[in-house]
Amino acid sequence: MLAINLLPEAPGFIAKTVSGAARRISPFRAEVPSSLEVITVVPAALLGSPGDMLYWNRANAEKWIGQGEADALQLKHSVANCFEGE
């Protein structure tokens, strides 16, 4: 499975507090079968501030796309191996 995680951690104190509280009270617990190989693509750095996420502009979008391409290139061999037959 290929997972793309654009927001591996909540940006800012308030968002971290709210998401942490939601995780603690939620009964949902994700379970991944041991037979499933998971490759996760995660940005090397946060994509910006909370304000950047709310107020998009062309320069930020181009920067995010470029960062995504660079992050994906680092994992391209692992991803290609996912789709090979066993």
Side-chain angles (χ1 to χ4, degrees):
M1 179 174 82
L2 176 62
I4 300 172
N5 186 356
L6 293 177
L7 196 60
E9 65 178 68
F13 176 75
I14 294 171
K16 285 180 185 177
T17 302
V18 170
S19 65
R23 281 191 192 102
R24 280 191 287 282
I25 63 173
S26 174
F28 177 75
R29 299 290 180 260
E31 293 183 26
V32 178
S34 60
S35 62
L36 184 66
E37 179 182 359
V38 178
I39 295 175
T40 304
V41 178
V42 179
L46 286 178
L47 298 178
S49 69
D52 291 338
M53 286 185 259
L54 294 174
Y55 304 105
W56 288 31
N57 62 52
R58 185 175 192 87
N60 279 346
E62 289 173 351
K63 180 181 79 170
W64 298 332
I65 291 168
Q67 185 176 341
E69 288 174 342
D71 294 336
L73 281 174
Q74 291 181 348
L75 293 173
K76 72 179 184 179
H77 297 294
S78 297
V79 172
N81 292 339
C82 283
F83 298 105
E84 291 180 358
E86 291 185 13

mmCIF file of all heavy atoms in Angstrom, residues 30-80:
data_model
loop_
_atom_site.group_PDB
_atom_site.id
_atom_site.type_symbol
_atom_site.label_atom_id
_atom_site.label_comp_id
_atom_site.label_asym_id
_atom_site.label_seq_id
_atom_site.Cartn_x
_atom_site.Cartn_y
_atom_site.Cartn_z
ATOM 1 N N ALA A 30 -6.573 2.444 14.130
ATOM 2 C CA ALA A 30 -6.251 1.844 12.833
ATOM 3 C C ALA A 30 -5.328 0.644 13.027
ATOM 4 O O ALA A 30 -4.369 0.714 13.791
ATOM 5 C CB ALA A 30 -5.586 2.868 11.932
ATOM 6 N N GLU A 31 -5.627 -0.432 12.345
ATOM 7 C CA GLU A 31 -4.791 -1.627 12.397
ATOM 8 C C GLU A 31 -4.402 -2.007 10.980
ATOM 9 O O GLU A 31 -5.248 -2.090 10.105
ATOM 10 C CB GLU A 31 -5.540 -2.778 13.063
ATOM 11 C CG GLU A 31 -5.821 -2.538 14.533
ATOM 12 C CD GLU A 31 -6.493 -3.731 15.192
ATOM 13 O OE1 GLU A 31 -6.314 -4.861 14.709
ATOM 14 O OE2 GLU A 31 -7.200 -3.510 16.185
ATOM 15 N N VAL A 32 -3.130 -2.224 10.780
ATOM 16 C CA VAL A 32 -2.622 -2.630 9.478
ATOM 17 C C VAL A 32 -2.259 -4.104 9.565
ATOM 18 O O VAL A 32 -1.478 -4.500 10.430
ATOM 19 C CB VAL A 32 -1.380 -1.801 9.083
ATOM 20 C CG1 VAL A 32 -0.833 -2.264 7.748
ATOM 21 C CG2 VAL A 32 -1.719 -0.321 9.049
ATOM 22 N N PRO A 33 -2.833 -4.946 8.691
ATOM 23 C CA PRO A 33 -2.485 -6.372 8.717
ATOM 24 C C PRO A 33 -0.985 -6.556 8.505
ATOM 25 O O PRO A 33 -0.353 -5.835 7.728
ATOM 26 C CB PRO A 33 -3.265 -6.955 7.538
ATOM 27 C CG PRO A 33 -4.309 -5.950 7.207
ATOM 28 C CD PRO A 33 -3.789 -4.623 7.640
ATOM 29 N N SER A 34 -0.400 -7.507 9.197
ATOM 30 C CA SER A 34 1.042 -7.740 9.090
ATOM 31 C C SER A 34 1.444 -8.196 7.685
ATOM 32 O O SER A 34 2.602 -8.045 7.296
ATOM 33 C CB SER A 34 1.490 -8.767 10.126
ATOM 34 O OG SER A 34 0.804 -9.986 9.920
ATOM 35 N N SER A 35 0.502 -8.717 6.919
ATOM 36 C CA SER A 35 0.802 -9.177 5.566
ATOM 37 C C SER A 35 0.856 -8.028 4.556
ATOM 38 O O SER A 35 1.242 -8.236 3.412
ATOM 39 C CB SER A 35 -0.263 -10.184 5.115
ATOM 40 O OG SER A 35 -1.531 -9.551 5.089
ATOM 41 N N LEU A 36 0.507 -6.823 4.978
ATOM 42 C CA LEU A 36 0.460 -5.679 4.080
ATOM 43 C C LEU A 36 1.718 -4.834 4.227
ATOM 44 O O LEU A 36 2.067 -4.404 5.318
ATOM 45 C CB LEU A 36 -0.775 -4.819 4.406
ATOM 46 C CG LEU A 36 -1.056 -3.636 3.509
ATOM 47 C CD1 LEU A 36 -1.404 -4.122 2.111
ATOM 48 C CD2 LEU A 36 -2.205 -2.835 4.079
ATOM 49 N N GLU A 37 2.403 -4.628 3.109
ATOM 50 C CA GLU A 37 3.570 -3.746 3.116
ATOM 51 C C GLU A 37 3.076 -2.317 2.878
ATOM 52 O O GLU A 37 2.333 -2.047 1.946
ATOM 53 C CB GLU A 37 4.550 -4.127 2.020
ATOM 54 C CG GLU A 37 5.768 -3.217 1.977
ATOM 55 C CD GLU A 37 6.729 -3.556 0.849
ATOM 56 O OE1 GLU A 37 6.475 -4.509 0.102
ATOM 57 O OE2 GLU A 37 7.727 -2.838 0.730
ATOM 58 N N VAL A 38 3.486 -1.402 3.732
ATOM 59 C CA VAL A 38 3.052 -0.011 3.625
ATOM 60 C C VAL A 38 4.275 0.869 3.402
ATOM 61 O O VAL A 38 5.240 0.803 4.155
ATOM 62 C CB VAL A 38 2.317 0.455 4.903
ATOM 63 C CG1 VAL A 38 1.907 1.917 4.787
ATOM 64 C CG2 VAL A 38 1.101 -0.416 5.171
ATOM 65 N N ILE A 39 4.216 1.660 2.344
ATOM 66 C CA ILE A 39 5.243 2.664 2.085
ATOM 67 C C ILE A 39 4.554 4.014 2.218
ATOM 68 O O ILE A 39 3.538 4.273 1.563
ATOM 69 C CB ILE A 39 5.858 2.502 0.694
ATOM 70 C CG1 ILE A 39 6.610 1.175 0.622
ATOM 71 C CG2 ILE A 39 6.777 3.677 0.371
ATOM 72 C CD1 ILE A 39 7.163 0.851 -0.731
ATOM 73 N N THR A 40 5.092 4.861 3.087
ATOM 74 C CA THR A 40 4.482 6.157 3.334
ATOM 75 C C THR A 40 5.362 7.259 2.776
ATOM 76 O O THR A 40 6.554 7.320 3.071
ATOM 77 C CB THR A 40 4.283 6.376 4.851
ATOM 78 O OG1 THR A 40 3.515 5.283 5.373
ATOM 79 C CG2 THR A 40 3.534 7.664 5.127
ATOM 80 N N VAL A 41 4.767 8.121 1.965
ATOM 81 C CA VAL A 41 5.448 9.297 1.449
ATOM 82 C C VAL A 41 5.076 10.442 2.373
ATOM 83 O O VAL A 41 3.904 10.747 2.563
ATOM 84 C CB VAL A 41 5.032 9.616 -0.001
ATOM 85 C CG1 VAL A 41 5.726 10.875 -0.500
ATOM 86 C CG2 VAL A 41 5.335 8.440 -0.915
ATOM 87 N N VAL A 42 6.097 11.040 2.983
ATOM 88 C CA VAL A 42 5.900 12.133 3.945
ATOM 89 C C VAL A 42 6.815 13.278 3.525
ATOM 90 O O VAL A 42 7.962 13.047 3.151
ATOM 91 C CB VAL A 42 6.266 11.668 5.377
ATOM 92 C CG1 VAL A 42 6.093 12.786 6.381
ATOM 93 C CG2 VAL A 42 5.436 10.481 5.778
ATOM 94 N N PRO A 43 6.325 14.512 3.581
ATOM 95 C CA PRO A 43 7.211 15.623 3.240
ATOM 96 C C PRO A 43 8.423 15.673 4.167
ATOM 97 O O PRO A 43 8.317 15.356 5.356
ATOM 98 C CB PRO A 43 6.353 16.871 3.414
ATOM 99 C CG PRO A 43 5.018 16.433 3.867
ATOM 100 C CD PRO A 43 5.006 14.952 3.981
ATOM 101 N N ALA A 44 9.559 16.078 3.616
ATOM 102 C CA ALA A 44 10.777 16.174 4.418
ATOM 103 C C ALA A 44 10.637 17.239 5.501
ATOM 104 O O ALA A 44 11.259 17.153 6.548
ATOM 105 C CB ALA A 44 11.965 16.491 3.516
ATOM 106 N N ALA A 45 9.809 18.228 5.246
ATOM 107 C CA ALA A 45 9.557 19.301 6.214
ATOM 108 C C ALA A 45 8.089 19.690 6.113
ATOM 109 O O ALA A 45 7.433 19.406 5.104
ATOM 110 C CB ALA A 45 10.444 20.493 5.908
ATOM 111 N N LEU A 46 7.566 20.318 7.143
ATOM 112 C CA LEU A 46 6.184 20.787 7.073
ATOM 113 C C LEU A 46 6.025 21.706 5.873
ATOM 114 O O LEU A 46 6.945 22.416 5.489
ATOM 115 C CB LEU A 46 5.803 21.526 8.357
ATOM 116 C CG LEU A 46 5.572 20.664 9.587
ATOM 117 C CD1 LEU A 46 5.240 21.542 10.800
ATOM 118 C CD2 LEU A 46 4.443 19.677 9.356
ATOM 119 N N LEU A 47 4.842 21.712 5.299
ATOM 120 C CA LEU A 47 4.609 22.476 4.078
ATOM 121 C C LEU A 47 4.400 23.965 4.328
ATOM 122 O O LEU A 47 4.214 24.725 3.395
ATOM 123 C CB LEU A 47 3.409 21.884 3.330
ATOM 124 C CG LEU A 47 3.594 20.443 2.881
ATOM 125 C CD1 LEU A 47 2.346 19.938 2.187
ATOM 126 C CD2 LEU A 47 4.790 20.300 1.976
ATOM 127 N N GLY A 48 4.419 24.362 5.564
ATOM 128 C CA GLY A 48 4.270 25.780 5.859
ATOM 129 C C GLY A 48 3.556 25.993 7.175
ATOM 130 O O GLY A 48 3.315 25.063 7.939
ATOM 131 N N SER A 49 3.204 27.222 7.411
ATOM 132 C CA SER A 49 2.511 27.591 8.644
ATOM 133 C C SER A 49 1.022 27.300 8.508
ATOM 134 O O SER A 49 0.525 27.058 7.400
ATOM 135 C CB SER A 49 2.711 29.083 8.909
ATOM 136 O OG SER A 49 1.992 29.840 7.933
ATOM 137 N N PRO A 50 0.282 27.342 9.618
ATOM 138 C CA PRO A 50 -1.176 27.182 9.510
ATOM 139 C C PRO A 50 -1.787 28.215 8.570
ATOM 140 O O PRO A 50 -2.706 27.910 7.814
ATOM 141 C CB PRO A 50 -1.656 27.366 10.949
ATOM 142 C CG PRO A 50 -0.493 26.946 11.789
ATOM 143 C CD PRO A 50 0.718 27.394 11.015
ATOM 144 N N GLY A 51 -1.257 29.433 8.578
ATOM 145 C CA GLY A 51 -1.765 30.462 7.665
ATOM 146 C C GLY A 51 -1.544 30.098 6.211
ATOM 147 O O GLY A 51 -2.400 30.375 5.358
ATOM 148 N N ASP A 52 -0.403 29.472 5.908
ATOM 149 C CA ASP A 52 -0.132 29.040 4.535
ATOM 150 C C ASP A 52 -1.155 28.022 4.062
ATOM 151 O O ASP A 52 -1.486 27.969 2.877
ATOM 152 C CB ASP A 52 1.270 28.434 4.421
ATOM 153 C CG ASP A 52 2.374 29.448 4.594
ATOM 154 O OD1 ASP A 52 2.126 30.652 4.386
ATOM 155 O OD2 ASP A 52 3.493 29.030 4.953
ATOM 156 N N MET A 53 -1.644 27.202 4.978
ATOM 157 C CA MET A 53 -2.639 26.196 4.605
ATOM 158 C C MET A 53 -4.008 26.828 4.353
ATOM 159 O O MET A 53 -4.785 26.324 3.559
ATOM 160 C CB MET A 53 -2.742 25.137 5.687
ATOM 161 C CG MET A 53 -1.558 24.204 5.692
ATOM 162 S SD MET A 53 -1.781 22.895 6.871
ATOM 163 C CE MET A 53 -0.768 23.509 8.191
ATOM 164 N N LEU A 54 -4.298 27.906 5.031
ATOM 165 C CA LEU A 54 -5.593 28.568 4.876
ATOM 166 C C LEU A 54 -5.620 29.531 3.698
ATOM 167 O O LEU A 54 -6.639 29.661 3.019
ATOM 168 C CB LEU A 54 -5.949 29.326 6.157
ATOM 169 C CG LEU A 54 -6.199 28.475 7.385
ATOM 170 C CD1 LEU A 54 -6.392 29.361 8.606
ATOM 171 C CD2 LEU A 54 -7.416 27.588 7.180
ATOM 172 N N TYR A 55 -4.508 30.214 3.459
ATOM 173 C CA TYR A 55 -4.442 31.237 2.422
ATOM 174 C C TYR A 55 -3.412 30.832 1.375
ATOM 175 O O TYR A 55 -2.246 31.175 1.475
ATOM 176 C CB TYR A 55 -4.092 32.599 3.037
ATOM 177 C CG TYR A 55 -5.048 33.011 4.116
ATOM 178 C CD1 TYR A 55 -4.677 32.938 5.451
ATOM 179 C CD2 TYR A 55 -6.333 33.432 3.794
ATOM 180 C CE1 TYR A 55 -5.570 33.297 6.454
ATOM 181 C CE2 TYR A 55 -7.233 33.792 4.785
ATOM 182 C CZ TYR A 55 -6.834 33.729 6.111
ATOM 183 O OH TYR A 55 -7.718 34.069 7.100
ATOM 184 N N TRP A 56 -3.878 30.088 0.389
ATOM 185 C CA TRP A 56 -2.990 29.569 -0.641
ATOM 186 C C TRP A 56 -2.580 30.673 -1.598
ATOM 187 O O TRP A 56 -3.323 31.610 -1.848
ATOM 188 C CB TRP A 56 -3.701 28.479 -1.424
ATOM 189 C CG TRP A 56 -3.887 27.216 -0.659
ATOM 190 C CD1 TRP A 56 -4.061 27.080 0.680
ATOM 191 C CD2 TRP A 56 -3.917 25.914 -1.193
ATOM 192 N NE1 TRP A 56 -4.203 25.765 1.008
ATOM 193 C CE2 TRP A 56 -4.128 25.028 -0.133
ATOM 194 C CE3 TRP A 56 -3.805 25.403 -2.468
ATOM 195 C CZ2 TRP A 56 -4.211 23.661 -0.307
ATOM 196 C CZ3 TRP A 56 -3.899 24.041 -2.647
ATOM 197 C CH2 TRP A 56 -4.092 23.183 -1.565
ATOM 198 N N ASN A 57 -1.395 30.517 -2.174
ATOM 199 C CA ASN A 57 -0.968 31.379 -3.263
ATOM 200 C C ASN A 57 -0.133 30.545 -4.233
ATOM 201 O O ASN A 57 0.295 29.436 -3.918
ATOM 202 C CB ASN A 57 -0.211 32.614 -2.754
ATOM 203 C CG ASN A 57 1.068 32.265 -2.013
ATOM 204 O OD1 ASN A 57 1.912 31.525 -2.533
ATOM 205 N ND2 ASN A 57 1.223 32.789 -0.806
ATOM 206 N N ARG A 58 0.062 31.092 -5.394
ATOM 207 C CA ARG A 58 0.742 30.333 -6.451
ATOM 208 C C ARG A 58 2.163 29.938 -6.049
ATOM 209 O O ARG A 58 2.600 28.811 -6.299
ATOM 210 C CB ARG A 58 0.756 31.137 -7.740
ATOM 211 C CG ARG A 58 1.343 30.378 -8.903
ATOM 212 C CD ARG A 58 1.220 31.186 -10.198
ATOM 213 N NE ARG A 58 1.520 30.373 -11.325
ATOM 214 C CZ ARG A 58 0.667 29.605 -11.982
ATOM 215 N NH1 ARG A 58 -0.586 29.559 -11.601
ATOM 216 N NH2 ARG A 58 1.041 28.889 -13.017
ATOM 217 N N ALA A 59 2.888 30.851 -5.425
ATOM 218 C CA ALA A 59 4.279 30.554 -5.047
ATOM 219 C C ALA A 59 4.345 29.378 -4.081
ATOM 220 O O ALA A 59 5.189 28.492 -4.231
ATOM 221 C CB ALA A 59 4.933 31.793 -4.427
ATOM 222 N N ASN A 60 3.478 29.346 -3.086
ATOM 223 C CA ASN A 60 3.461 28.230 -2.137
ATOM 224 C C ASN A 60 3.070 26.933 -2.832
ATOM 225 O O ASN A 60 3.658 25.880 -2.579
ATOM 226 C CB ASN A 60 2.511 28.505 -0.974
ATOM 227 C CG ASN A 60 3.131 29.378 0.084
ATOM 228 O OD1 ASN A 60 4.335 29.587 0.109
ATOM 229 N ND2 ASN A 60 2.303 29.899 0.966
ATOM 230 N N ALA A 61 2.060 26.998 -3.694
ATOM 231 C CA ALA A 61 1.618 25.788 -4.402
ATOM 232 C C ALA A 61 2.750 25.216 -5.240
ATOM 233 O O ALA A 61 2.978 24.001 -5.250
ATOM 234 C CB ALA A 61 0.400 26.092 -5.259
ATOM 235 N N GLU A 62 3.486 26.079 -5.932
ATOM 236 C CA GLU A 62 4.613 25.606 -6.737
ATOM 237 C C GLU A 62 5.709 25.011 -5.860
ATOM 238 O O GLU A 62 6.312 23.993 -6.206
ATOM 239 C CB GLU A 62 5.154 26.742 -7.597
ATOM 240 C CG GLU A 62 4.204 27.124 -8.724
ATOM 241 C CD GLU A 62 4.628 28.357 -9.493
ATOM 242 O OE1 GLU A 62 5.579 29.052 -9.059
ATOM 243 O OE2 GLU A 62 3.993 28.626 -10.529
ATOM 244 N N LYS A 63 5.951 25.631 -4.716
ATOM 245 C CA LYS A 63 6.956 25.106 -3.777
ATOM 246 C C LYS A 63 6.524 23.732 -3.256
ATOM 247 O O LYS A 63 7.326 22.798 -3.180
ATOM 248 C CB LYS A 63 7.130 26.082 -2.605
ATOM 249 C CG LYS A 63 8.154 25.636 -1.582
ATOM 250 C CD LYS A 63 8.272 26.627 -0.444
ATOM 251 C CE LYS A 63 7.107 26.394 0.510
ATOM 252 N NZ LYS A 63 7.192 27.111 1.769
ATOM 253 N N TRP A 64 5.241 23.576 -2.916
ATOM 254 C CA TRP A 64 4.737 22.306 -2.394
ATOM 255 C C TRP A 64 4.826 21.206 -3.444
ATOM 256 O O TRP A 64 5.183 20.075 -3.131
ATOM 257 C CB TRP A 64 3.299 22.444 -1.918
ATOM 258 C CG TRP A 64 3.113 23.405 -0.788
ATOM 259 C CD1 TRP A 64 4.028 23.744 0.170
ATOM 260 C CD2 TRP A 64 1.942 24.146 -0.488
ATOM 261 N NE1 TRP A 64 3.498 24.659 1.044
ATOM 262 C CE2 TRP A 64 2.211 24.929 0.667
ATOM 263 C CE3 TRP A 64 0.692 24.258 -1.073
ATOM 264 C CZ2 TRP A 64 1.268 25.782 1.231
ATOM 265 C CZ3 TRP A 64 -0.241 25.109 -0.505
ATOM 266 C CH2 TRP A 64 0.047 25.859 0.637
ATOM 267 N N ILE A 65 4.497 21.540 -4.680
ATOM 268 C CA ILE A 65 4.579 20.550 -5.761
ATOM 269 C C ILE A 65 6.028 20.109 -5.958
ATOM 270 O O ILE A 65 6.320 18.913 -6.078
ATOM 271 C CB ILE A 65 3.981 21.114 -7.070
ATOM 272 C CG1 ILE A 65 2.464 21.254 -6.908
ATOM 273 C CG2 ILE A 65 4.323 20.218 -8.255
ATOM 274 C CD1 ILE A 65 1.795 22.057 -8.002
ATOM 275 N N GLY A 66 6.937 21.060 -5.957
ATOM 276 C CA GLY A 66 8.360 20.731 -6.096
ATOM 277 C C GLY A 66 8.855 19.872 -4.948
ATOM 278 O O GLY A 66 9.608 18.910 -5.150
ATOM 279 N N GLN A 67 8.433 20.209 -3.739
ATOM 280 C CA GLN A 67 8.840 19.412 -2.579
ATOM 281 C C GLN A 67 8.258 18.004 -2.673
ATOM 282 O O GLN A 67 8.936 17.020 -2.358
ATOM 283 C CB GLN A 67 8.386 20.082 -1.280
ATOM 284 C CG GLN A 67 8.890 19.374 -0.044
ATOM 285 C CD GLN A 67 8.518 20.112 1.242
ATOM 286 O OE1 GLN A 67 8.192 21.287 1.221
ATOM 287 N NE2 GLN A 67 8.576 19.409 2.348
ATOM 288 N N GLY A 68 7.025 17.886 -3.139
ATOM 289 C CA GLY A 68 6.414 16.566 -3.306
ATOM 290 C C GLY A 68 7.146 15.721 -4.327
ATOM 291 O O GLY A 68 7.347 14.515 -4.135
ATOM 292 N N GLU A 69 7.548 16.346 -5.420
ATOM 293 C CA GLU A 69 8.309 15.616 -6.438
ATOM 294 C C GLU A 69 9.633 15.104 -5.870
ATOM 295 O O GLU A 69 10.020 13.958 -6.099
ATOM 296 C CB GLU A 69 8.571 16.519 -7.644
ATOM 297 C CG GLU A 69 7.345 16.797 -8.470
ATOM 298 C CD GLU A 69 7.589 17.819 -9.571
ATOM 299 O OE1 GLU A 69 8.602 18.572 -9.510
ATOM 300 O OE2 GLU A 69 6.766 17.867 -10.492
ATOM 301 N N ALA A 70 10.318 15.961 -5.113
ATOM 302 C CA ALA A 70 11.603 15.561 -4.523
ATOM 303 C C ALA A 70 11.411 14.426 -3.514
ATOM 304 O O ALA A 70 12.182 13.462 -3.505
ATOM 305 C CB ALA A 70 12.268 16.762 -3.854
ATOM 306 N N ASP A 71 10.378 14.532 -2.675
ATOM 307 C CA ASP A 71 10.120 13.480 -1.684
ATOM 308 C C ASP A 71 9.760 12.161 -2.362
ATOM 309 O O ASP A 71 10.208 11.093 -1.944
ATOM 310 C CB ASP A 71 9.003 13.906 -0.732
ATOM 311 C CG ASP A 71 9.387 15.082 0.150
ATOM 312 O OD1 ASP A 71 10.600 15.294 0.385
ATOM 313 O OD2 ASP A 71 8.468 15.793 0.611
ATOM 314 N N ALA A 72 8.961 12.234 -3.431
ATOM 315 C CA ALA A 72 8.566 11.016 -4.145
ATOM 316 C C ALA A 72 9.755 10.374 -4.844
ATOM 317 O O ALA A 72 9.875 9.142 -4.867
ATOM 318 C CB ALA A 72 7.466 11.334 -5.149
ATOM 319 N N LEU A 73 10.643 11.184 -5.398
ATOM 320 C CA LEU A 73 11.823 10.632 -6.072
ATOM 321 C C LEU A 73 12.703 9.835 -5.118
ATOM 322 O O LEU A 73 13.320 8.851 -5.520
ATOM 323 C CB LEU A 73 12.640 11.745 -6.729
ATOM 324 C CG LEU A 73 12.095 12.260 -8.051
ATOM 325 C CD1 LEU A 73 12.903 13.467 -8.524
ATOM 326 C CD2 LEU A 73 12.087 11.168 -9.100
ATOM 327 N N GLN A 74 12.758 10.243 -3.871
ATOM 328 C CA GLN A 74 13.568 9.506 -2.900
ATOM 329 C C GLN A 74 13.019 8.111 -2.649
ATOM 330 O O GLN A 74 13.749 7.216 -2.239
ATOM 331 C CB GLN A 74 13.648 10.278 -1.581
ATOM 332 C CG GLN A 74 14.468 11.545 -1.689
ATOM 333 C CD GLN A 74 14.545 12.284 -0.363
ATOM 334 O OE1 GLN A 74 13.828 11.987 0.585
ATOM 335 N NE2 GLN A 74 15.425 13.257 -0.298
ATOM 336 N N LEU A 75 11.728 7.917 -2.875
ATOM 337 C CA LEU A 75 11.101 6.616 -2.611
ATOM 338 C C LEU A 75 10.720 5.858 -3.876
ATOM 339 O O LEU A 75 10.100 4.812 -3.790
ATOM 340 C CB LEU A 75 9.835 6.818 -1.765
ATOM 341 C CG LEU A 75 10.060 7.317 -0.354
ATOM 342 C CD1 LEU A 75 8.726 7.642 0.296
ATOM 343 C CD2 LEU A 75 10.786 6.285 0.465
ATOM 344 N N LYS A 76 11.109 6.347 -5.040
ATOM 345 C CA LYS A 76 10.589 5.754 -6.270
ATOM 346 C C LYS A 76 10.923 4.274 -6.412
ATOM 347 O O LYS A 76 10.116 3.508 -6.911
ATOM 348 C CB LYS A 76 11.033 6.536 -7.497
ATOM 349 C CG LYS A 76 12.489 6.399 -7.856
ATOM 350 C CD LYS A 76 12.801 7.197 -9.101
ATOM 351 C CE LYS A 76 14.238 6.984 -9.498
ATOM 352 N NZ LYS A 76 14.568 7.707 -10.706
ATOM 353 N N HIS A 77 12.092 3.842 -5.957
ATOM 354 C CA HIS A 77 12.436 2.426 -6.080
ATOM 355 C C HIS A 77 11.577 1.575 -5.144
ATOM 356 O O HIS A 77 11.139 0.489 -5.513
ATOM 357 C CB HIS A 77 13.923 2.200 -5.812
ATOM 358 C CG HIS A 77 14.785 2.895 -6.809
ATOM 359 N ND1 HIS A 77 14.813 2.545 -8.142
ATOM 360 C CD2 HIS A 77 15.631 3.949 -6.687
ATOM 361 C CE1 HIS A 77 15.638 3.336 -8.786
ATOM 362 N NE2 HIS A 77 16.150 4.201 -7.935
ATOM 363 N N SER A 78 11.310 2.068 -3.947
ATOM 364 C CA SER A 78 10.459 1.339 -3.016
ATOM 365 C C SER A 78 9.032 1.225 -3.558
ATOM 366 O O SER A 78 8.399 0.189 -3.433
ATOM 367 C CB SER A 78 10.427 2.039 -1.659
ATOM 368 O OG SER A 78 11.719 2.047 -1.090
ATOM 369 N N VAL A 79 8.545 2.311 -4.141
ATOM 370 C CA VAL A 79 7.192 2.308 -4.685
ATOM 371 C C VAL A 79 7.107 1.363 -5.874
ATOM 372 O O VAL A 79 6.162 0.586 -6.002
ATOM 373 C CB VAL A 79 6.759 3.740 -5.066
ATOM 374 C CG1 VAL A 79 5.436 3.722 -5.799
ATOM 375 C CG2 VAL A 79 6.669 4.613 -3.825
ATOM 376 N N ALA A 80 8.105 1.394 -6.735
ATOM 377 C CA ALA A 80 8.107 0.500 -7.895
ATOM 378 C C ALA A 80 8.093 -0.947 -7.461
ATOM 379 O O ALA A 80 7.422 -1.797 -8.057
ATOM 380 C CB ALA A 80 9.322 0.786 -8.783
#
